[in-house]
Amino acid sequence: MDYKGLERVLLYFKSFYLCIMNIQSAYNIWANNYDEDKNLTRDLDAEIVRKVFSNQKFNSILEVGCGTGKNTVLFASISNHLTAIDFSDKMISKAKEKVKSENANFQIADITKDWNLEENKFDLITFNLILEHIENLNFIFEQTHKHLKSKGLVFINELHPFRQYDGKKAVYTENGESKEIDAFVHNISDFINSANENGMRLLKLNEYWHEQDQNKLPRIISLKFIKD
Ligand SMILES: C[S@@+](CC[C@H](N)C(=O)[O-])C[C@H]1O[C@@H](n2cnc3c(N)ncnc32)[C@H](O)[C@@H]1O
């Protein structure tokens, strides 16, 4: 590789790590108000999770990007072992205040790097409102496949790509100023193809609107995959 090529590679890695750091520090700040801020996407996600999972039971669940634990309480109640991971220590601290169950284990982890988890294989892996912050979906599905038992399920609830095309992103407030958090657009086909390429098959695709979303674009896309 010539000097110019090397410079381009170094610049790419520099911007990648700066972006990850920005996202992490944004969530460390947002942790203080995440639960109280007006946030229809967060509320709709919680409603969907309750509807889909309330009557289900799993041996082991991995919740990826648990945040302040909005869904962690439910996931802990429907599993024998729950591992909840996130790279924001401030978000995880809030989650720990909510979740007192002995079967819940929290770990600080950046999912853009190899997942070194204490428990290795899960029956269900969930992602709620995290994948918009991840550039390389393929790496995530590769790691998901590695940590899923055979016939294990993957559940994904994300900001709908139609809203992303419209420029919508997660927004928090710092010192009275609204700030957007870095995000990457993933098309519906990106999720499905990347899961397929990594050995997981689509079982269900749904779209959801909040009750205040009349005549608007769908707010959340929901995908369920199985590892064959
Ligand atoms: C919008 S919050 C969603 C939290 C929770 N799942 C919910 O639905 O309320 C996104 C979460 O993803 C986490 N996150 C973003 N990028 C991450 C990464 N690379 N590794 C681990 N966690 C990440 C953030 O720290 C934050 O807690």
Side-chain angles (χ1 to χ4, degrees), residues 20 23 27 30 34 42 45 63-68 70-71 85-88 91 109-112 128-130 133-134:
I20 293 284
I23 297 169
Y27 276 106
W30 199 4
Y34 183 84
R42 174 203 62 205
D45 173 65
E63 185 190 9
V64 180
C66 63
T68 60
K70 177 195 81 199
N71 299 326
I85 62 174
D86 201 291
F87 72 171
S88 159
M91 295 292 271
D110 177 356
I111 62 157
T112 63
N128 295 76
L129 310 180
I130 175 173
H133 302 306
I134 305 296

Side-chain angles (χ1 to χ4, degrees), residues 137-139 141 189-200:
L137 267 192
N138 194 55
F139 177 78
F141 279 111
S189 56
D190 295 335
F191 287 108
I192 297 174
N193 293 340
S194 183
N196 278 348
E197 281 156 22
N198 286 286
M200 287 156 290

Side-chain angles (χ1 to χ4, degrees), residues 94-206:
K94 292 278 178 186
K96 282 183 178 166
E97 287 168 17
K98 289 192 191 80
V99 184
K100 298 292 176 207
S101 336
E102 299 218 327
N103 61 332
N105 165 41
F106 290 93
Q107 232 178 287
I108 295 178
D110 177 356
I111 62 157
T112 63
K113 305 198 177 103
D114 276 344
W115 301 1
N116 292 313
L117 305 172
E118 282 158 29
E119 187 162 347
N120 204 28
K121 295 263 186 189
F122 300 88
D123 297 293
L124 170 69
I125 300 186
T126 67
F127 299 86
N128 295 76
L129 310 180
I130 175 173
L131 295 176
E132 68 172 291
H133 302 306
I134 305 296
E135 185 172 16
N136 185 353
L137 267 192
N138 194 55
F139 177 78
I140 301 300
F141 279 111
E142 199 183 283
Q143 293 292 311
T144 299
H145 185 266
K146 194 170 149 193
H147 289 90
L148 207 53
K149 291 183 191 163
S150 170
K151 301 290 168 204
L153 300 175
V154 183
F155 180 82
I156 296 174
N157 254 7
E158 286 295 324
L159 182 66
H160 200 294
F162 295 175
R163 290 212 170 217
Q164 292 193 301
Y165 304 155
D166 216 20
K168 298 281 188 301
K169 290 182 183 176
V171 175
Y172 70 107
T173 308
E174 186 180 12
N175 302 325
E177 193 189 331
S178 288
K179 295 191 172 173
E180 287 182 336
I181 305 182
D182 290 337
F184 303 91
V185 174
H186 301 304
N187 305 304
I188 299 177
S189 56
D190 295 335
F191 287 108
I192 297 174
N193 293 340
S194 183
N196 278 348
E197 281 156 22
N198 286 286
M200 287 156 290
R201 178 169 51 87
L202 183 70
L203 287 181
K204 216 175 245 181
L205 188 159
N206 274 315

